[in-house]
Amino acid sequence: MKSISVIGSGTMGNGIAHVFAQNGYDVSLIDIKDEYLEKSLATISKNMDRQVAKGTLTPAEKDAAMGRISTFSSLEEGVKKADLVIEAATENLNLKLDIFRQLDQFSPANAILATNTSSISITKIASVTKRPEQVIGMHFMNPVPVMRLVEVIRGYSTSDEVTQTVMALSRNLSKDPVEVNDYPGFVANRILMPMINEAIYSLYEGVAGIEEIDIVMKLGMAHPMGPLQLADFIGLDVCLSILRVLQDGFGNPKYAPCPLLVNMVEAGFKGVKTGEGFYRYTAGSKDLIVSPRFSRR
Ligand SMILES: NC(=O)c1ccc[n+]([C@@H]2O[C@H](COP(=O)([O-])OP(=O)(O)OC[C@H]3O[C@@H](n4cnc5c(N)ncnc54)[C@H](O)[C@@H]3O)[C@@H](O)[C@H]2O)c1
């Protein structure tokens, strides 16, 4: 494995490109617009500067890592030499199926095709390719340069050899990979999302306020972040769409999203990315202020 192509240069794609480049791999970073790619390179450079300031990366290592990243707005050009492709584009089934059809067509026949999807079936994605045994889930956590877990998801047809290659590769990045099977939500989100949903139900039913719910889970369960703050960080729209995948996939009403979550997403309050969810966020401030909308409830 030498050449890695990353599709999508957003939150996750730039982190994945960062980690591979820092570990000596050649990275082709692909997105639909040059401006997204420029923004992504600036983010990677800024994040590496932070490592330099902390003394975990030298300025020369940073320059070498940045020099290993090339950018492409054409998928065909960006994947033609890939040993491994990691798709980290927007979480949308039809978009991902379309990308995997193209990857199957344009990437070398022996390339492994991985997806960073949070919730879409690996087996379904693999089914649109002629190489389902070479398709696998590689679910990195946000922020990728910091979080050690990689949830490695075997689709129904993924081969042992491909799984072992991806497990070993993840360890080469100093990550801790865990192998799981392909069922809705995999392991991480199957456990996390019902907890977040239950926290939102506790607020909705008036059991406690936002800060109280988060404090109980932080101090009582030693979670570094309360579930409502974490939901804001992940994105409330993302939480909602994963709960719907769990609800549809298992046909079990216990995964039904809380009506308050549905309302917040429909009203455009999606958490950190829109400036407000359960908390209100102001650029440049690290203070956690409860959204004033909840004082009326
Ligand atoms: N954000 C998280 O915390 C998180 C964590 C784990 C996994 N994921 C998963 O990672 C994937 C990416 O999520 P994100 O948060 O980085 O999203 P994002 O919106 O920040 O970035 C997605 C990027 O994909 C690009 N894109 C869209 N269509 C494309 C195409 N046809 N070709 C190339 N690029 C295309 C977009 O322009 C955008 O830059 C999703 O599948 C998501 O479920 C996200």
Side-chain angles (χ1 to χ4, degrees):
M1 289 269 166
K2 179 153 173 48
S3 180
I4 314 291
S5 296
V6 179
I7 317 273
S9 67
T11 311
M12 297 305 287
N14 80 55
I16 295 167
H18 174 146
V19 166
F20 275 100
Q22 192 185 328
N23 283 278
Y25 295 89
D26 292 332
V27 177
S28 301
L29 185 56
I30 302 154
D31 209 310
I32 45 181
K33 285 194 185 164
D34 287 334
E35 62 189 271
Y36 298 160
L37 291 162
E38 280 155 28
K39 192 171 159 220
S40 178
L41 285 180
T43 303
I44 297 171
S45 172
K46 200 175 73 196
N47 289 340
M48 285 190 183
D49 283 341
R50 249 186 240 139
Q51 292 173 286
V52 171
K54 273 197 217 148
T56 54
L57 194 71
T58 66
E61 284 166 342
K62 178 201 159 180
D63 290 345
M66 290 302 298
R68 284 191 278 268
I69 305 176
S70 322
T71 57
F72 296 86
S73 52
S74 150
L75 180 141
E76 182 174 351
E77 285 302 307
V79 302
K80 65 183 182 196
K81 291 193 212 128
D83 299 312
L84 166 72
V85 181
I86 303 178
E87 174 275 318
T90 316
E91 185 81 343
N92 174 297
L93 173 65
N94 288 331
L95 173 73
K96 290 196 193 279
L97 296 183
D98 184 46
I99 289 175
F100 273 77
R101 281 188 199 102
Q102 294 184 58
L103 293 180
D104 200 28
Q105 193 183 346
F106 297 125
S107 66
N110 60 351
I112 294 177
L113 307 181
T115 171
N116 185 52
T117 180
S118 308
S119 61
I120 296 172
S121 160
I122 308 303
T123 306
K124 190 171 198 123
I125 291 174
S127 73
V128 300
T129 73
K130 294 190 190 71
R131 53 178 113 175
E133 66 291 341
Q134 285 162 241
V135 177
I136 193 161
M138 228 178 152
H139 185 202
F140 289 87
M141 304 290 132
N142 184 17
V144 183
V146 176
M147 299 289 280
R148 293 185 61 112
L149 177 69
V150 183
E151 197 178 22
V152 174
I153 305 127
R154 288 186 75 131
Y156 192 81
S157 307
T158 311
S159 71
D160 289 343
E161 191 193 339
V162 164
T163 307
Q164 289 323 313
T165 303
V166 166
M167 294 288 285
L169 178 74
S170 304
R171 289 190 195 99
N172 272 348
L173 302 173
S174 303
K175 301 287 183 202
D176 292 317
V178 173
E179 185 182 324
V180 311
N181 289 316
D182 181 29
Y183 289 104
F186 318 132
V187 169
N189 283 316
R190 181 170 180 170
I191 297 173
L192 176 64
M193 288 302 154
M195 185 193 73
I196 286 178
N197 201 33
E198 210 52 38
I200 302 172
Y201 263 113
S202 302
L203 176 68
Y204 171 73
E205 291 171 1
V207 180
I210 292 173
E211 285 169 303
E212 289 74 12
I213 292 168
D214 276 354
I215 289 171
V216 166
M217 298 306 287
K218 276 198 284 190
L219 301 187
M221 319 299 157
H223 289 193
M225 210 185 257
L228 299 175
Q229 187 189 356
L230 180 58
D232 273 357
F233 181 69
I234 293 169
L236 300 188
D237 52 336
V238 176
C239 295
L240 178 61
S241 85
I242 298 173
L243 281 163
R244 288 196 163 132
V245 166
L246 292 171
Q247 190 185 15
D248 291 350
F250 292 114
N252 187 332
K254 78 175 179 181
Y255 298 109
C258 177
L260 172 60
L261 174 65
V262 177
N263 269 358
M264 291 175 77
V265 173
E266 277 173 2
F269 294 91
K270 299 180 186 169
V272 177
K273 64 179 146 193
T274 60
E276 190 172 327
F278 296 103
Y279 296 91
R280 179 172 274 184
Y281 304 87
T282 23
S285 164
K286 288 200 168 157
D287 293 342
L288 207 51
I289 313 281
V290 169
S291 156
R293 265 156 242 282
F294 286 92
S295 58
R296 287 193 264 117
R297 292 193 166 80

PDB file of all heavy atoms in Angstrom, residues 254-276:
ATOM      1  N   LYS A 254     -38.261   1.136  19.094  1.00  0.00           N
ATOM      2  CA  LYS A 254     -37.413   1.711  20.151  1.00  0.00           C
ATOM      3  C   LYS A 254     -36.383   2.707  19.576  1.00  0.00           C
ATOM      4  O   LYS A 254     -35.827   3.501  20.307  1.00  0.00           O
ATOM      5  CB  LYS A 254     -36.717   0.618  20.980  1.00  0.00           C
ATOM      6  CG  LYS A 254     -35.514  -0.024  20.348  1.00  0.00           C
ATOM      7  CD  LYS A 254     -34.858  -1.004  21.320  1.00  0.00           C
ATOM      8  CE  LYS A 254     -33.666  -1.688  20.698  1.00  0.00           C
ATOM      9  NZ  LYS A 254     -33.012  -2.649  21.542  1.00  0.00           N
ATOM     10  N   TYR A 255     -36.143   2.649  18.272  1.00  0.00           N
ATOM     11  CA  TYR A 255     -35.179   3.586  17.662  1.00  0.00           C
ATOM     12  C   TYR A 255     -35.847   4.852  17.124  1.00  0.00           C
ATOM     13  O   TYR A 255     -35.184   5.695  16.528  1.00  0.00           O
ATOM     14  CB  TYR A 255     -34.420   2.894  16.521  1.00  0.00           C
ATOM     15  CG  TYR A 255     -33.598   1.711  16.994  1.00  0.00           C
ATOM     16  CD1 TYR A 255     -33.968   0.403  16.678  1.00  0.00           C
ATOM     17  CD2 TYR A 255     -32.459   1.903  17.767  1.00  0.00           C
ATOM     18  CE1 TYR A 255     -33.224  -0.675  17.120  1.00  0.00           C
ATOM     19  CE2 TYR A 255     -31.705   0.830  18.216  1.00  0.00           C
ATOM     20  CZ  TYR A 255     -32.100  -0.459  17.893  1.00  0.00           C
ATOM     21  OH  TYR A 255     -31.361  -1.523  18.328  1.00  0.00           O
ATOM     22  N   ALA A 256     -37.185   4.997  17.306  1.00  0.00           N
ATOM     23  CA  ALA A 256     -37.883   6.167  16.735  1.00  0.00           C
ATOM     24  C   ALA A 256     -37.289   7.457  17.292  1.00  0.00           C
ATOM     25  O   ALA A 256     -37.165   7.617  18.510  1.00  0.00           O
ATOM     26  CB  ALA A 256     -39.367   6.088  17.062  1.00  0.00           C
ATOM     27  N   PRO A 257     -36.887   8.392  16.396  1.00  0.00           N
ATOM     28  CA  PRO A 257     -36.273   9.634  16.887  1.00  0.00           C
ATOM     29  C   PRO A 257     -37.253  10.467  17.705  1.00  0.00           C
ATOM     30  O   PRO A 257     -38.441  10.522  17.376  1.00  0.00           O
ATOM     31  CB  PRO A 257     -35.861  10.373  15.614  1.00  0.00           C
ATOM     32  CG  PRO A 257     -36.527   9.684  14.484  1.00  0.00           C
ATOM     33  CD  PRO A 257     -36.946   8.317  14.930  1.00  0.00           C
ATOM     34  N   CYS A 258     -36.769  11.120  18.753  1.00  0.00           N
ATOM     35  CA  CYS A 258     -37.589  11.973  19.602  1.00  0.00           C
ATOM     36  C   CYS A 258     -38.165  13.127  18.750  1.00  0.00           C
ATOM     37  O   CYS A 258     -37.427  13.743  17.960  1.00  0.00           O
ATOM     38  CB  CYS A 258     -36.726  12.540  20.731  1.00  0.00           C
ATOM     39  SG  CYS A 258     -37.621  13.682  21.777  1.00  0.00           S
ATOM     40  N   PRO A 259     -39.463  13.445  18.900  1.00  0.00           N
ATOM     41  CA  PRO A 259     -40.055  14.540  18.106  1.00  0.00           C
ATOM     42  C   PRO A 259     -39.316  15.873  18.271  1.00  0.00           C
ATOM     43  O   PRO A 259     -39.292  16.680  17.346  1.00  0.00           O
ATOM     44  CB  PRO A 259     -41.486  14.641  18.646  1.00  0.00           C
ATOM     45  CG  PRO A 259     -41.776  13.290  19.223  1.00  0.00           C
ATOM     46  CD  PRO A 259     -40.470  12.748  19.735  1.00  0.00           C
ATOM     47  N   LEU A 260     -38.698  16.097  19.429  1.00  0.00           N
ATOM     48  CA  LEU A 260     -37.941  17.344  19.615  1.00  0.00           C
ATOM     49  C   LEU A 260     -36.738  17.389  18.664  1.00  0.00           C
ATOM     50  O   LEU A 260     -36.445  18.429  18.055  1.00  0.00           O
ATOM     51  CB  LEU A 260     -37.472  17.458  21.086  1.00  0.00           C
ATOM     52  CG  LEU A 260     -36.509  18.600  21.393  1.00  0.00           C
ATOM     53  CD1 LEU A 260     -37.116  19.969  21.067  1.00  0.00           C
ATOM     54  CD2 LEU A 260     -36.077  18.558  22.873  1.00  0.00           C
ATOM     55  N   LEU A 261     -36.061  16.264  18.493  1.00  0.00           N
ATOM     56  CA  LEU A 261     -34.920  16.203  17.563  1.00  0.00           C
ATOM     57  C   LEU A 261     -35.406  16.500  16.139  1.00  0.00           C
ATOM     58  O   LEU A 261     -34.790  17.283  15.401  1.00  0.00           O
ATOM     59  CB  LEU A 261     -34.258  14.814  17.643  1.00  0.00           C
ATOM     60  CG  LEU A 261     -33.154  14.534  16.634  1.00  0.00           C
ATOM     61  CD1 LEU A 261     -31.945  15.451  16.856  1.00  0.00           C
ATOM     62  CD2 LEU A 261     -32.691  13.074  16.696  1.00  0.00           C
ATOM     63  N   VAL A 262     -36.529  15.905  15.759  1.00  0.00           N
ATOM     64  CA  VAL A 262     -37.069  16.118  14.413  1.00  0.00           C
ATOM     65  C   VAL A 262     -37.380  17.605  14.212  1.00  0.00           C
ATOM     66  O   VAL A 262     -36.993  18.203  13.200  1.00  0.00           O
ATOM     67  CB  VAL A 262     -38.350  15.259  14.204  1.00  0.00           C
ATOM     68  CG1 VAL A 262     -38.961  15.534  12.835  1.00  0.00           C
ATOM     69  CG2 VAL A 262     -38.030  13.772  14.370  1.00  0.00           C
ATOM     70  N   ASN A 263     -38.026  18.223  15.208  1.00  0.00           N
ATOM     71  CA  ASN A 263     -38.369  19.653  15.099  1.00  0.00           C
ATOM     72  C   ASN A 263     -37.125  20.522  14.961  1.00  0.00           C
ATOM     73  O   ASN A 263     -37.084  21.456  14.154  1.00  0.00           O
ATOM     74  CB  ASN A 263     -39.110  20.119  16.360  1.00  0.00           C
ATOM     75  CG  ASN A 263     -40.613  19.980  16.212  1.00  0.00           C
ATOM     76  OD1 ASN A 263     -41.092  19.574  15.156  1.00  0.00           O
ATOM     77  ND2 ASN A 263     -41.340  20.297  17.260  1.00  0.00           N
ATOM     78  N   MET A 264     -36.111  20.233  15.776  1.00  0.00           N
ATOM     79  CA  MET A 264     -34.898  21.061  15.744  1.00  0.00           C
ATOM     80  C   MET A 264     -34.232  20.987  14.369  1.00  0.00           C
ATOM     81  O   MET A 264     -33.797  22.008  13.816  1.00  0.00           O
ATOM     82  CB  MET A 264     -33.929  20.621  16.845  1.00  0.00           C
ATOM     83  CG  MET A 264     -34.443  20.958  18.240  1.00  0.00           C
ATOM     84  SD  MET A 264     -33.368  20.322  19.529  1.00  0.00           S
ATOM     85  CE  MET A 264     -32.021  21.513  19.483  1.00  0.00           C
ATOM     86  N   VAL A 265     -34.181  19.799  13.788  1.00  0.00           N
ATOM     87  CA  VAL A 265     -33.546  19.649  12.468  1.00  0.00           C
ATOM     88  C   VAL A 265     -34.379  20.373  11.412  1.00  0.00           C
ATOM     89  O   VAL A 265     -33.839  21.093  10.564  1.00  0.00           O
ATOM     90  CB  VAL A 265     -33.346  18.151  12.126  1.00  0.00           C
ATOM     91  CG1 VAL A 265     -32.853  17.987  10.695  1.00  0.00           C
ATOM     92  CG2 VAL A 265     -32.373  17.508  13.109  1.00  0.00           C
ATOM     93  N   GLU A 266     -35.702  20.196  11.507  1.00  0.00           N
ATOM     94  CA  GLU A 266     -36.558  20.861  10.503  1.00  0.00           C
ATOM     95  C   GLU A 266     -36.467  22.379  10.601  1.00  0.00           C
ATOM     96  O   GLU A 266     -36.560  23.084   9.611  1.00  0.00           O
ATOM     97  CB  GLU A 266     -38.005  20.380  10.631  1.00  0.00           C
ATOM     98  CG  GLU A 266     -38.154  19.060   9.887  1.00  0.00           C
ATOM     99  CD  GLU A 266     -39.489  18.375  10.066  1.00  0.00           C
ATOM    100  OE1 GLU A 266     -40.363  18.921  10.749  1.00  0.00           O
ATOM    101  OE2 GLU A 266     -39.620  17.271   9.514  1.00  0.00           O
ATOM    102  N   ALA A 267     -36.229  22.892  11.810  1.00  0.00           N
ATOM    103  CA  ALA A 267     -36.120  24.347  11.997  1.00  0.00           C
ATOM    104  C   ALA A 267     -34.718  24.861  11.645  1.00  0.00           C
ATOM    105  O   ALA A 267     -34.472  26.060  11.666  1.00  0.00           O
ATOM    106  CB  ALA A 267     -36.463  24.703  13.436  1.00  0.00           C
ATOM    107  N   GLY A 268     -33.793  23.950  11.324  1.00  0.00           N
ATOM    108  CA  GLY A 268     -32.444  24.359  10.909  1.00  0.00           C
ATOM    109  C   GLY A 268     -31.462  24.530  12.057  1.00  0.00           C
ATOM    110  O   GLY A 268     -30.370  25.055  11.857  1.00  0.00           O
ATOM    111  N   PHE A 269     -31.829  24.063  13.266  1.00  0.00           N
ATOM    112  CA  PHE A 269     -30.904  24.159  14.407  1.00  0.00           C
ATOM    113  C   PHE A 269     -30.187  22.818  14.540  1.00  0.00           C
ATOM    114  O   PHE A 269     -30.682  21.894  15.174  1.00  0.00           O
ATOM    115  CB  PHE A 269     -31.668  24.549  15.682  1.00  0.00           C
ATOM    116  CG  PHE A 269     -32.238  25.931  15.584  1.00  0.00           C
ATOM    117  CD1 PHE A 269     -33.515  26.146  15.087  1.00  0.00           C
ATOM    118  CD2 PHE A 269     -31.462  27.035  15.922  1.00  0.00           C
ATOM    119  CE1 PHE A 269     -34.018  27.430  14.947  1.00  0.00           C
ATOM    120  CE2 PHE A 269     -31.962  28.325  15.789  1.00  0.00           C
ATOM    121  CZ  PHE A 269     -33.237  28.525  15.304  1.00  0.00           C
ATOM    122  N   LYS A 270     -29.026  22.713  13.888  1.00  0.00           N
ATOM    123  CA  LYS A 270     -28.382  21.407  13.727  1.00  0.00           C
ATOM    124  C   LYS A 270     -27.154  21.241  14.595  1.00  0.00           C
ATOM    125  O   LYS A 270     -26.354  20.334  14.397  1.00  0.00           O
ATOM    126  CB  LYS A 270     -28.009  21.207  12.253  1.00  0.00           C
ATOM    127  CG  LYS A 270     -29.231  21.231  11.345  1.00  0.00           C
ATOM    128  CD  LYS A 270     -28.850  21.044   9.895  1.00  0.00           C
ATOM    129  CE  LYS A 270     -30.080  21.217   8.998  1.00  0.00           C
ATOM    130  NZ  LYS A 270     -29.712  21.304   7.580  1.00  0.00           N
ATOM    131  N   GLY A 271     -26.932  22.176  15.544  1.00  0.00           N
ATOM    132  CA  GLY A 271     -25.777  22.051  16.434  1.00  0.00           C
ATOM    133  C   GLY A 271     -24.647  22.982  16.044  1.00  0.00           C
ATOM    134  O   GLY A 271     -24.885  24.052  15.451  1.00  0.00           O
ATOM    135  N   VAL A 272     -23.418  22.563  16.339  1.00  0.00           N
ATOM    136  CA  VAL A 272     -22.246  23.443  16.154  1.00  0.00           C
ATOM    137  C   VAL A 272     -22.203  24.024  14.746  1.00  0.00           C
ATOM    138  O   VAL A 272     -21.954  25.214  14.549  1.00  0.00           O
ATOM    139  CB  VAL A 272     -20.939  22.659  16.458  1.00  0.00           C
ATOM    140  CG1 VAL A 272     -19.719  23.531  16.196  1.00  0.00           C
ATOM    141  CG2 VAL A 272     -20.937  22.142  17.895  1.00  0.00           C
ATOM    142  N   LYS A 273     -22.483  23.196  13.727  1.00  0.00           N
ATOM    143  CA  LYS A 273     -22.304  23.661  12.337  1.00  0.00           C
ATOM    144  C   LYS A 273     -23.251  24.795  11.956  1.00  0.00           C
ATOM    145  O   LYS A 273     -22.958  25.551  11.033  1.00  0.00           O
ATOM    146  CB  LYS A 273     -22.397  22.495  11.354  1.00  0.00           C
ATOM    147  CG  LYS A 273     -23.725  21.811  11.282  1.00  0.00           C
ATOM    148  CD  LYS A 273     -23.640  20.688  10.238  1.00  0.00           C
ATOM    149  CE  LYS A 273     -24.499  19.514  10.632  1.00  0.00           C
ATOM    150  NZ  LYS A 273     -24.264  18.333   9.878  1.00  0.00           N
ATOM    151  N   THR A 274     -24.400  24.934  12.636  1.00  0.00           N
ATOM    152  CA  THR A 274     -25.299  26.058  12.320  1.00  0.00           C
ATOM    153  C   THR A 274     -25.245  27.115  13.419  1.00  0.00           C
ATOM    154  O   THR A 274     -26.005  28.083  13.384  1.00  0.00           O
ATOM    155  CB  THR A 274     -26.767  25.583  12.156  1.00  0.00           C
ATOM    156  OG1 THR A 274     -27.194  24.989  13.390  1.00  0.00           O
ATOM    157  CG2 THR A 274     -26.922  24.587  11.037  1.00  0.00           C
ATOM    158  N   GLY A 275     -24.379  26.922  14.406  1.00  0.00           N
ATOM    159  CA  GLY A 275     -24.228  27.920  15.468  1.00  0.00           C
ATOM    160  C   GLY A 275     -25.174  27.694  16.646  1.00  0.00           C
ATOM    161  O   GLY A 275     -25.037  28.355  17.677  1.00  0.00           O
ATOM    162  N   GLU A 276     -26.143  26.798  16.496  1.00  0.00           N
ATOM    163  CA  GLU A 276     -27.064  26.554  17.618  1.00  0.00           C
ATOM    164  C   GLU A 276     -27.747  25.195  17.502  1.00  0.00           C
ATOM    165  O   GLU A 276     -28.147  24.770  16.417  1.00  0.00           O
ATOM    166  CB  GLU A 276     -28.140  27.648  17.657  1.00  0.00           C
ATOM    167  CG  GLU A 276     -28.967  27.596  18.928  1.00  0.00           C
ATOM    168  CD  GLU A 276     -29.918  28.790  19.073  1.00  0.00           C
ATOM    169  OE1 GLU A 276     -29.569  29.899  18.627  1.00  0.00           O
ATOM    170  OE2 GLU A 276     -31.008  28.580  19.623  1.00  0.00           O
TER     171      GLU A 276
END
